[in-house]
């Protein structure tokens, strides 16, 4: 199903009981965030705030806040349908016969839906603000978290054009409102927008930019998708393929750029590469930590266009699970066939919410020779945005990669610390606060596949290869001890029945985590344990998702994961300047208590379900 725009999608959600209207006045400063955060974490409905203080426009949030709503938005019964859709397109068959060639006709027809189509009358240009009329404060842009540097547009479709080739790009880069007619432009070093700006600088010209807000949900998803660099394939093309019809675009009123004709708002303007950058942030980011202030390009808004009765769509990011987890899962499904085309032994893969996308990847493979797990992991590190992956766990083909607990049980059974773990280095997401350098750090591969003789140093490794010549699991028996040792700074700890030792540490001195690991590894309680997970003092050791989220955010794998006795120690505590960590350590995102109390007090006034409070 192709939706004409975001409002038609909202109407369908409301008819299905998956969108609630809040008619009471509500603040765009933190309050909407607190309500929306509770909803998405409990799988609740999307919300339409009809009366936002200080603005004439309503705010819609959480529209893609469940797996089912994302599937509905993209026209499939479930997200696995995306993989089938792509697999059918790339699996051209025929064998030379006429009937075989005819079987591809529908696939070519689908591919022809890729290019966008230009329209003259665009709903998003029904109302136009130019020059001094531009006032971004009239748009209900949210301040999401207490330490944010200001209000941020969180679902922006940022459109630029290569100054040399003319190729379009659309990306979802957060946009901080700086004044009534300017914003920051959060183009990170690996992003296409950065390359376009650098080309404009060399040519001595300004770079035109359009920021669309809204459009139909297929386009909003497409702006988040890690598209491969294929000529002619851009975000408009992907949205056209997903919706089964060419995407409608219109030329901007002050920029020579195609903008989505069915958006709610479009901000038009330019970035001057000769101009000094502006300090942007902090921002409560998808990692669940604040991204600290830094310098980014300055976007000047020359015009704002909109519908006569627009809705402002927004999302929030922060501690997982959040709405972005379902967009990430959609990308997993969409690009699985392409990954399998390049690395054919891949059976499935998954990026769990605790890993906030790049920090953790589970991949199952059909294994047929020794070392294959490392071959696959290193291959994944070379695939597009998978280069940012921090920890990759490789599993046998029968392990369900979406079963978080089953995967980690498999790790303790089949991965011996040191023998079956390998650290390497490479690019890291620039939002990662714990890496050894900005955008550069350590990575970890865990081989949790069933081992062949060659991989364990068996005498059988000298024999010629034979079909089925694999070893069974080596008989590790996990055991959780009742009496656990004390140590300076340990606030809470527990052991799990599957071989993990979870520790919350109040760190006050350099080397404290290393000393703790040495002491605990030598203690009898370490018998039956394979992983020691040392977290910061804000971590709930009774919540395994919170533990792994903290660990994966706070480690550089080469520096912070090591073999200690028979344990694999993970130091997910804060790094200190005395340990050579020179960057500022960011805080975790926590909502102000007065906002939490206010929402609790007004929950029933807002007409929200008591079960989701």
């Amino acid at each position: 199903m192709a939706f004409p725009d975001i409002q038609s999608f909202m109407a369908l959600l409301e008819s299905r009981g998956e969108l609630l209207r809040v008619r009471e006045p509500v603040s765009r400063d933190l309050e909407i965030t607190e309500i929306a955060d509770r909803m998405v974490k409990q799988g609740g409905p999307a919300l339409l705030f009809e009366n936002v203080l200080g603005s004439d426009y309503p705010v819609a949030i959480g529209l893609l806040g469940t797996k089912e709503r994302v599937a509905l938005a993209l026209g499939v019964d479930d997200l696995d349908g995306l993989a089938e859709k792509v697999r059918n397109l790339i699996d051209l068959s025929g064998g030379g016969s006429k009937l075989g060639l005819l079987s591809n006709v529908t696939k070519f027809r689908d591919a022809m839906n890729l290019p966008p189509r230009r329209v003259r009358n665009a709903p998003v240009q029904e109302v136009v603000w130019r020059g001094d009329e531009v006032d971004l404060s009239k748009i209900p842009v949210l301040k999401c978290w207490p330490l944010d540097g200001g209000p941020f547009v969180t679902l922006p479709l940022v459109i630029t054009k290569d100054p040399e080739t003319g190729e379009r790009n659309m990306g979802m880069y957060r946009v901080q409102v700086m004044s009534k007619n300017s914003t920051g432009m959060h183009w990170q070093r690996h992003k296409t927008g950065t390359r376009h700006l650098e080309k404009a600088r060399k040519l001595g010209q300004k770079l035109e930019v359009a920021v669309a807000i809204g459009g139909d949900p297929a386009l909003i998803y497409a702006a988040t998708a890690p598209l491969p660099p294929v000529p002619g394939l851009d975000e408009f093309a992907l949205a056209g393929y997903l919706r089964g019809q060419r995407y409608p675009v219109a030329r901007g009123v002050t920029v020579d750029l195609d903008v989505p004709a069915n958006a709610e708002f479009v901000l038009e303007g330019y970035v001057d590469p000769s101009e000094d950058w502006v300090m942007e942030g902090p921002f409560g980011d998808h990692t669940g930590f604040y991204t600290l202030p830094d310098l980014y390009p300055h976007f000047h808004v020359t015009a704002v266009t909109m519908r006569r009765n627009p809705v402002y769509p927004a999302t929030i990011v922060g501690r997982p699970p959040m709405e972005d987890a379902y967009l990430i899962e959609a990308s997993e499904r969409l690009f699985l066939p392409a990954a399998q085309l390049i690395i054919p032994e891949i059976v499935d893969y998954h990026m769990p919410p605790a890993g906030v996308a790049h920090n953790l990847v589970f991949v199952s493979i059909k294994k047929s020779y020794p070392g294959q797990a490392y071959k696959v992991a290193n291959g994944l590190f070379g695939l597009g945005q998978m280069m940012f992956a921090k920890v990759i766990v490789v599993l046998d083909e029968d392990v369900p990669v979406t079963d978080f607990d089953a995967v980690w049980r498999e790790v303790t059974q089949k991965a011996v610390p040191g023998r079956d773990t390998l650290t390497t280095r490479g690019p890291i997401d620039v939002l990662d606060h714990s890496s050894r350098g900005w955008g550069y750090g350590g990575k970890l591969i865990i081989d949790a596949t069933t081992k062949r003789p060659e991989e364990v140093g068996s005498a059988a490794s000298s024999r010629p290869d034979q079909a089925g010549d694999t070893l069974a699991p080596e008989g590790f028996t996990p055991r959780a001890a009742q009496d656990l040792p004390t140590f300076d700074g340990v606030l809470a700890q527990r052991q799990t029945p599957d071989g993990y030792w979870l520790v919350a540490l109040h760190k006050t001195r350099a080397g404290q985590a290393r000393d703790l690991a040495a002491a605990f590894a030598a203690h009898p309680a370490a018998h039956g344990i394979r992983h020691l997970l040392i977290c910061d003092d804000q971590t709930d050791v009774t919540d395994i998702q919170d533990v792994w989220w903290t660990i994966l955010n706070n480690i550089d794998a080469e520096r912070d994961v090591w073999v200690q006795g028979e344990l694999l120690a993970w130091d997910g505590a804060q790094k200190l300047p005395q340990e050579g960590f020179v960057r500022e350590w960011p805080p975790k995102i926590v909502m102000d208590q007065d906002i939490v109390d206010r929402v609790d007090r007004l929950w029933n006034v807002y007409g929200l379900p008591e079960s989701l409070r």
Side-chain angles (χ1 to χ4, degrees):
M1 176 186 296
F3 296 96
D5 49 41
I6 201 73
Q7 294 195 39
S8 62
F9 181 60
M10 292 166 52
L12 178 61
L13 292 183
E14 187 169 25
S15 71
R16 296 162 62 110
E18 293 190 54
L19 182 142
L20 291 181
R21 294 174 180 265
V22 177
R23 295 182 169 87
E24 294 296 315
V26 63
S27 174
R28 56 174 129 168
D29 187 349
L30 305 182
E31 194 172 345
I32 288 178
T33 294
E34 175 62 20
I35 298 169
D37 190 29
R38 299 188 193 191
M39 283 293 176
V40 75
K41 282 183 167 49
Q42 299 186 70
L47 298 167
L48 179 65
F49 295 95
E50 296 184 324
N51 189 350
V52 180
L53 296 172
S55 178
D56 294 332
Y57 310 114
V59 170
I61 197 165
L63 299 176
L64 302 174
T66 66
K67 186 186 306 186
E68 293 73 22
R69 291 207 290 271
V70 173
L72 179 65
L74 300 181
V76 291
D77 293 333
D78 56 57
L79 292 182
D80 285 328
L82 291 175
E84 289 307 309
K85 197 167 186 177
V86 174
R87 187 173 286 111
N88 289 338
L89 181 63
I90 65 178
D91 183 24
L92 297 179
S93 58
S97 69
K98 289 183 178 180
L99 287 176
L101 292 173
L102 286 173
S103 71
N104 292 319
V105 168
T106 57
K107 299 177 184 180
F108 291 131
R109 187 184 300 125
D110 285 343
M112 288 177 66
N113 285 324
L114 296 180
R117 61 181 177 89
R118 181 75 66 83
V119 299
R120 290 187 178 181
N121 297 316
V124 75
Q125 294 173 347
E126 291 172 340
V127 177
V128 179
W129 299 342
R130 298 175 188 262
D132 290 340
E133 294 178 308
V134 173
D135 187 352
L136 300 181
S137 69
K138 294 179 179 179
I139 302 173
V141 183
L142 306 183
K143 181 179 179 183
C144 299
W145 298 107
L147 302 184
D148 281 358
F152 282 83
V153 181
T154 52
L155 278 181
L157 314 181
V158 181
I159 302 163
T160 56
K161 187 166 58 176
D162 189 304
E164 294 177 342
T165 68
E167 286 200 9
R168 287 184 301 261
N169 178 71
M170 178 188 294
M172 191 169 286
Y173 317 118
R174 72 183 191 228
V175 173
Q176 180 180 349
V177 176
M178 300 291 186
S179 71
K180 68 187 293 286
N181 60 358
S182 70
T183 78
M185 187 55 66
H186 195 263
W187 283 329
Q188 300 163 21
R189 67 163 56 166
H190 302 104
K191 302 302 184 181
T192 306
T194 301
R195 294 198 296 272
H196 288 179
L197 185 62
E198 177 59 18
K199 287 187 176 184
R201 184 190 66 79
K202 291 179 179 178
L203 293 171
Q205 63 188 48
K206 297 175 181 177
L207 181 68
E208 292 187 325
V209 181
V211 179
I213 304 169
D216 71 41
L219 187 66
I220 293 172
Y221 163 70
T224 73
L227 291 181
V230 177
L233 177 62
D234 62 16
E235 291 74 17
F236 284 121
L238 175 59
Y241 175 64
L242 291 173
R243 72 206 303 268
Q245 54 187 251
R246 296 172 63 188
Y247 205 92
V249 297
R251 187 182 181 279
V253 299
T254 62
V255 294
D256 185 21
L257 293 170
D258 286 332
V259 301
N262 59 359
E264 301 295 308
F265 298 87
V266 173
L267 317 183
E268 298 183 3
Y270 65 89
V271 173
D272 185 346
S274 68
E275 186 180 31
D276 288 341
W277 289 11
V278 293
M279 190 62 71
E280 188 256 19
F283 176 67
D285 224 316
H286 77 277
T287 59
F289 287 72
Y290 283 94
T291 300
L292 298 175
D294 205 349
L295 293 171
Y296 280 95
H298 198 188
F299 173 49
H300 299 273
V301 181
T302 55
V304 175
T305 73
M306 68 190 80
R307 294 168 176 265
R308 286 195 182 89
N309 295 295
V311 170
Y312 177 79
T315 189
I316 54 169
V317 292
R319 288 193 183 210
M322 284 286 193
E323 189 171 10
D324 60 337
Y326 305 112
L327 297 175
I328 292 166
E329 188 167 349
S331 287
E332 286 178 10
R333 299 303 91 194
L334 190 67
F335 293 103
L336 175 61
Q340 291 171 323
L341 193 65
I342 299 167
I343 309 174
E345 55 265 64
I346 290 178
V347 174
D348 202 356
Y349 75 103
H350 180 52
M351 295 181 285
V356 291
H358 301 125
N359 286 348
L360 181 62
V361 182
F362 298 153
V363 55
S364 59
I365 67 170
K366 187 173 180 61
K367 183 175 177 178
S368 57
Y369 54 83
Q372 196 168 6
Y374 301 106
K375 178 260 190 188
V376 169
N378 284 305
L380 285 174
F381 284 138
L383 291 183
Q385 290 195 30
M386 197 66 80
M387 68 178 175
F388 300 129
K390 188 185 284 191
V391 177
I392 294 182
V393 180
V394 188
L395 305 143
D396 289 325
E397 61 184 307
D398 60 341
V399 179
V401 293
T402 56
D403 188 333
F404 192 83
D405 294 334
V407 167
W408 289 116
R409 284 195 298 271
E410 197 79 358
V411 167
T412 54
Q413 287 297 315
K414 294 184 179 178
V416 176
R419 189 194 73 184
D420 303 322
T421 54
L422 179 67
T423 55
T424 183
R425 300 175 194 158
I428 295 291
D429 191 331
V430 298
L431 298 181
D432 189 285
H433 61 264
S434 62
S435 56
R436 59 191 288 152
W438 189 65
Y440 174 62
K443 298 168 179 287
L444 174 67
I445 300 170
I446 300 177
D447 177 6
T449 62
T450 300
K451 302 302 178 295
R452 296 179 64 86
E454 299 89 343
E455 295 173 307
V456 298
S458 166
S461 64
S462 62
R463 299 198 309 250
D465 188 41
Q466 299 178 20
D469 189 12
T470 58
L471 299 181
E474 296 172 66
F476 171 74
T477 303
R479 180 181 66 87
Q482 298 301 313
D483 297 321
L484 301 178
T486 59
F487 190 86
D488 175 42
V490 171
L491 303 181
Q493 60 176 311
R494 74 180 179 100
Q495 292 184 349
T496 69
D498 49 356
Y500 293 86
W501 194 341
L502 319 177
V503 179
L505 175 68
H506 177 60
K507 187 173 180 180
T508 56
R509 60 179 175 83
Q512 191 174 356
R514 291 256 173 185
D515 293 344
L516 184 155
F520 279 18
H523 194 275
H527 180 69
I529 298 296
R530 272 198 162 155
H531 292 262
L532 175 63
L533 307 181
I534 304 170
C535 304
D536 61 30
D537 53 9
Q538 293 179 286
T539 304
D540 180 1
V541 298
T542 67
D543 183 347
I544 193 64
Q545 296 288 331
D546 192 41
V547 167
W548 276 115
W549 168 67
T550 299
I551 288 285
L552 294 162
N553 267 292
N554 286 355
I555 62 164
D556 179 302
E558 187 178 21
R559 180 193 64 215
D560 300 324
V561 182
W562 70 95
V563 176
Q564 186 76 52
E566 296 185 356
L567 303 179
L568 193 68
W570 306 62
D571 176 10
Q574 179 176 343
K575 307 305 177 290
L576 304 175
Q578 298 88 336
E579 296 171 310
F581 191 85
V582 297
R583 291 185 288 159
E584 184 180 353
W585 194 266
K588 288 181 175 180
I589 298 171
V590 180
M591 181 55 76
D592 283 347
Q593 189 59 47
D594 61 333
I595 298 296
V596 174
D597 293 342
R598 174 178 171 79
V599 169
D600 277 339
R601 189 168 62 252
L602 296 176
W603 192 263
N604 292 328
V605 175
Y606 294 145
L608 299 171
E610 184 64 29
S611 61
L612 299 177
R613 180 193 287 267

